[in-house]
Coordinates of all heavy atoms in Angstrom, one line a residue:
H1 N 25.3 -1.8 15.1 CA 25.2 -3.2 14.5 C 23.7 -3.5 14.2 O 23.4 -4.3 13.3 CB 25.7 -4.2 15.5 CG 24.9 -4.3 16.8 ND1 23.9 -5.2 16.9 CD2 24.9 -3.6 18.0 CE1 23.3 -5.1 18.1 NE2 23.9 -4.1 18.8
R2 N 22.8 -2.9 14.9 CA 21.4 -3.1 14.6 C 21.0 -2.6 13.2 O 20.2 -3.2 12.5 CB 20.5 -2.4 15.6 CG 20.6 -2.9 17.1 CD 19.9 -2.0 18.0 NE 20.4 -0.7 18.1 CZ 19.9 0.3 18.8 NH1 18.8 0.1 19.5 NH2 20.5 1.5 18.8
I3 N 21.6 -1.4 12.8 CA 21.4 -0.9 11.5 C 22.0 -1.8 10.4 O 21.4 -2.1 9.4 CB 22.0 0.5 11.4 CG1 21.3 1.5 12.3 CG2 22.0 1.0 9.9 CD1 19.8 1.7 12.0
R4 N 23.2 -2.3 10.7 CA 23.8 -3.2 9.7 C 23.0 -4.5 9.5 O 22.8 -4.9 8.4 CB 25.2 -3.6 10.2 CG 26.2 -2.5 10.2 CD 27.6 -3.0 10.4 NE 27.9 -3.6 11.8 CZ 28.2 -2.8 12.8 NH1 28.4 -1.5 12.7 NH2 28.4 -3.4 14.0
S5 N 22.4 -5.0 10.6 CA 21.5 -6.1 10.4 C 20.3 -5.8 9.6 O 19.8 -6.6 8.8 CB 21.1 -6.6 11.8 OG 20.2 -7.7 11.8
L6 N 19.7 -4.6 9.9 CA 18.5 -4.2 9.2 C 18.8 -4.0 7.7 O 17.8 -4.2 6.9 CB 18.1 -2.8 9.8 CG 16.9 -2.1 9.3 CD1 16.1 -1.5 10.5 CD2 17.3 -1.0 8.4
L7 N 20.0 -3.6 7.3 CA 20.3 -3.3 5.9 C 20.7 -4.5 5.0 O 20.9 -4.4 3.8 CB 21.3 -2.2 5.8 CG 20.9 -0.8 6.3 CD1 22.0 0.2 6.1 CD2 19.7 -0.3 5.5
V8 N 20.9 -5.7 5.7 CA 21.4 -6.9 4.9 C 20.5 -7.2 3.8 O 20.9 -7.3 2.6 CB 21.6 -8.0 5.9 CG1 21.9 -9.3 5.1 CG2 22.8 -7.8 6.8
A9 N 19.2 -7.5 4.1 CA 18.2 -7.9 3.1 C 18.0 -6.9 2.0 O 18.0 -7.3 0.8 CB 16.9 -8.3 3.8
P10 N 17.8 -5.6 2.3 CA 17.6 -4.6 1.3 C 18.8 -4.5 0.3 O 18.7 -4.3 -0.9 CB 17.3 -3.3 2.0 CG 17.6 -3.5 3.4 CD 17.5 -5.0 3.7
T11 N 20.0 -4.6 0.9 CA 21.2 -4.5 0.1 C 21.3 -5.7 -0.9 O 21.6 -5.5 -2.1 CB 22.5 -4.5 1.0 OG1 22.4 -3.4 1.9 CG2 23.7 -4.4 0.1
L12 N 21.0 -6.9 -0.4 CA 21.0 -8.1 -1.3 C 19.9 -8.0 -2.3 O 20.0 -8.4 -3.5 CB 20.9 -9.4 -0.4 CG 22.1 -9.7 0.4 CD1 21.7 -10.9 1.3 CD2 23.3 -10.0 -0.4
F13 N 18.8 -7.4 -1.9 CA 17.6 -7.2 -2.8 C 18.1 -6.4 -4.0 O 17.8 -6.7 -5.2 CB 16.5 -6.6 -2.0 CG 15.4 -6.0 -2.9 CD1 14.6 -6.8 -3.6 CD2 15.1 -4.6 -2.9 CE1 13.6 -6.3 -4.4 CE2 14.1 -4.1 -3.6 CZ 13.3 -4.9 -4.4
V14 N 18.7 -5.3 -3.7 CA 19.2 -4.4 -4.8 C 20.2 -5.1 -5.7 O 20.3 -5.0 -6.9 CB 19.8 -3.1 -4.3 CG1 20.3 -2.2 -5.4 CG2 18.7 -2.3 -3.5
L15 N 21.1 -5.9 -5.1 CA 22.1 -6.6 -5.8 C 21.4 -7.6 -6.8 O 21.8 -7.8 -7.9 CB 23.1 -7.3 -4.9 CG 24.1 -6.5 -4.2 CD1 24.9 -7.3 -3.1 CD2 25.1 -6.0 -5.2
F16 N 20.4 -8.3 -6.3 CA 19.7 -9.3 -7.1 C 19.0 -8.6 -8.3 O 19.1 -9.0 -9.5 CB 18.6 -10.0 -6.3 CG 19.2 -10.9 -5.3 CD1 18.5 -11.3 -4.1 CD2 20.5 -11.5 -5.4 CE1 19.0 -12.1 -3.1 CE2 21.0 -12.3 -4.4 CZ 20.2 -12.6 -3.3
L17 N 18.4 -7.5 -8.0 CA 17.7 -6.7 -9.1 C 18.7 -6.2 -10.1 O 18.3 -6.0 -11.3 CB 16.9 -5.6 -8.5 CG 15.5 -6.0 -8.0 CD1 14.8 -4.7 -7.4 CD2 14.6 -6.6 -9.0
S18 N 19.9 -5.9 -9.7 CA 20.9 -5.3 -10.6 C 21.3 -6.3 -11.7 O 21.9 -5.9 -12.7 CB 22.2 -5.0 -9.8 OG 21.9 -3.9 -8.9
A19 N 21.0 -7.6 -11.5 CA 21.3 -8.6 -12.6 C 20.3 -8.5 -13.7 O 20.6 -9.0 -14.8 CB 21.2 -10.0 -12.0
L20 N 19.2 -7.8 -13.5 CA 18.2 -7.6 -14.6 C 18.5 -6.4 -15.4 O 18.9 -5.4 -14.9 CB 16.8 -7.5 -14.0 CG 16.3 -8.7 -13.2 CD1 14.9 -8.4 -12.6 CD2 16.2 -10.0 -14.1
G21 N 18.4 -6.5 -16.7 CA 18.8 -5.4 -17.6 C 17.9 -4.2 -17.5 O 18.4 -3.0 -17.4
H22 N 16.6 -4.4 -17.4 CA 15.7 -3.2 -17.3 C 15.6 -2.8 -15.9 O 15.3 -3.6 -15.0 CB 14.3 -3.6 -17.9 CG 13.3 -2.5 -17.8 ND1 13.5 -1.3 -18.5 CD2 12.1 -2.4 -17.1 CE1 12.4 -0.5 -18.2 NE2 11.6 -1.1 -17.3
K23 N 15.8 -1.5 -15.7 CA 15.8 -1.0 -14.3 C 15.0 0.3 -14.2 O 15.0 1.1 -15.1 CB 17.3 -0.7 -13.9 CG 18.2 -1.9 -13.8 CD 19.6 -1.5 -13.5 CE 20.5 -2.8 -13.4 NZ 20.6 -3.5 -14.7
E24 N 14.3 0.4 -13.1 CA 13.5 1.6 -12.8 C 13.6 1.9 -11.3 O 13.8 0.9 -10.5 CB 12.0 1.4 -13.1 CG 11.7 1.2 -14.6 CD 10.3 1.2 -14.9 OE1 9.5 1.8 -14.2 OE2 9.9 0.5 -15.9
W25 N 13.6 3.1 -10.9 CA 13.7 3.5 -9.5 C 12.6 2.9 -8.7 O 12.8 2.5 -7.5 CB 13.7 5.0 -9.3 CG 12.4 5.7 -9.6 CD1 12.0 6.3 -10.8 CD2 11.3 5.8 -8.7 NE1 10.7 6.8 -10.7 CE2 10.3 6.6 -9.4 CE3 11.1 5.5 -7.4 CZ2 9.1 6.9 -8.9 CZ3 9.8 5.8 -6.8 CH2 8.9 6.5 -7.6
R26 N 11.4 2.7 -9.3 CA 10.3 2.1 -8.5 C 10.5 0.7 -8.0 O 10.0 0.2 -7.1 CB 9.0 2.2 -9.3 CG 8.4 3.6 -9.5 CD 7.0 3.5 -10.1 NE 7.0 2.9 -11.4 CZ 7.2 3.6 -12.6 NH1 7.5 4.9 -12.5 NH2 7.1 3.0 -13.7
F27 N 11.4 -0.1 -8.8 CA 11.7 -1.4 -8.4 C 12.4 -1.5 -7.0 O 12.3 -2.5 -6.4 CB 12.5 -2.1 -9.5 CG 11.8 -2.3 -10.8 CD1 12.5 -2.6 -11.9 CD2 10.5 -2.0 -10.9 CE1 11.9 -2.7 -13.2 CE2 9.8 -2.1 -12.2 CZ 10.5 -2.5 -13.3
V28 N 13.2 -0.5 -6.7 CA 14.0 -0.6 -5.5 C 13.5 0.4 -4.4 O 14.2 0.6 -3.4 CB 15.5 -0.3 -5.8 CG1 16.1 -1.4 -6.6 CG2 15.7 1.1 -6.4
M29 N 12.4 1.0 -4.6 CA 11.9 2.0 -3.6 C 11.6 1.4 -2.3 O 11.6 2.1 -1.3 CB 10.7 2.7 -4.2 CG 9.5 1.8 -4.3 SD 8.0 2.6 -4.6 CE 6.8 1.4 -3.9
Y30 N 11.4 0.1 -2.2 CA 11.0 -0.5 -0.9 C 12.2 -0.5 0.1 O 12.0 -0.7 1.3 CB 10.7 -2.0 -1.1 CG 9.7 -2.2 -2.3 CD1 10.2 -2.8 -3.5 CD2 8.4 -1.8 -2.2 CE1 9.3 -3.0 -4.5 CE2 7.5 -2.0 -3.3 CZ 8.0 -2.6 -4.5 OH 7.2 -2.8 -5.5
V31 N 13.4 -0.2 -0.4 CA 14.5 -0.1 0.5 C 14.7 1.3 1.2 O 15.4 1.5 2.1 CB 15.9 -0.5 -0.2 CG1 15.8 -1.8 -0.9 CG2 16.3 0.6 -1.1
V32 N 13.9 2.3 0.6 CA 14.1 3.6 1.1 C 13.7 3.8 2.6 O 14.5 4.5 3.3 CB 13.3 4.6 0.2 CG1 13.3 6.0 0.8 CG2 13.9 4.6 -1.2
P33 N 12.6 3.3 3.1 CA 12.3 3.4 4.5 C 13.4 2.9 5.4 O 13.7 3.5 6.4 CB 11.0 2.7 4.7 CG 10.3 2.7 3.3 CD 11.5 2.6 2.4
L34 N 13.9 1.7 5.1 CA 15.0 1.2 5.9 C 16.3 2.0 5.8 O 17.0 2.2 6.8 CB 15.3 -0.3 5.5 CG 14.1 -1.3 5.7 CD1 14.5 -2.7 5.4 CD2 13.5 -1.2 7.1
A35 N 16.6 2.5 4.6 CA 17.7 3.3 4.5 C 17.6 4.6 5.2 O 18.5 5.2 5.8 CB 18.0 3.6 3.0
N36 N 16.3 5.1 5.3 CA 16.1 6.4 6.1 C 16.2 6.1 7.6 O 16.6 7.0 8.3 CB 14.7 6.9 5.7 CG 14.7 7.6 4.4 OD1 15.7 7.9 3.8 ND2 13.5 7.8 3.8
I37 N 15.9 4.9 8.0 CA 16.1 4.6 9.4 C 17.6 4.7 9.7 O 18.0 5.2 10.7 CB 15.6 3.2 9.8 CG1 14.0 3.2 9.6 CG2 16.0 2.8 11.2 CD1 13.4 1.8 9.8

């Protein structure tokens, strides 16, 4: 459950960015450290 709590914000972050047409991997790289945890 601690991991689920940790991933809430980064998941929503990626969802918000998905609404923008132009996409690059660098825009979402900030979620990688948390995903690696």
Side-chain angles (χ1 to χ4, degrees):
H1 68 91
R2 296 171 297 175
I3 295 296
R4 291 193 292 274
S5 176
L6 180 142
L7 291 180
V8 169
T11 301
L12 291 174
F13 167 65
V14 179
L15 283 171
F16 292 155
L17 278 179
S18 296
L20 300 177
H22 180 63
K23 297 175 176 64
E24 294 184 30
W25 68 266
R26 288 191 297 274
F27 297 166
V28 295
M29 63 166 207
Y30 315 107
V31 309
V32 173
L34 297 185
N36 284 343
I37 295 174

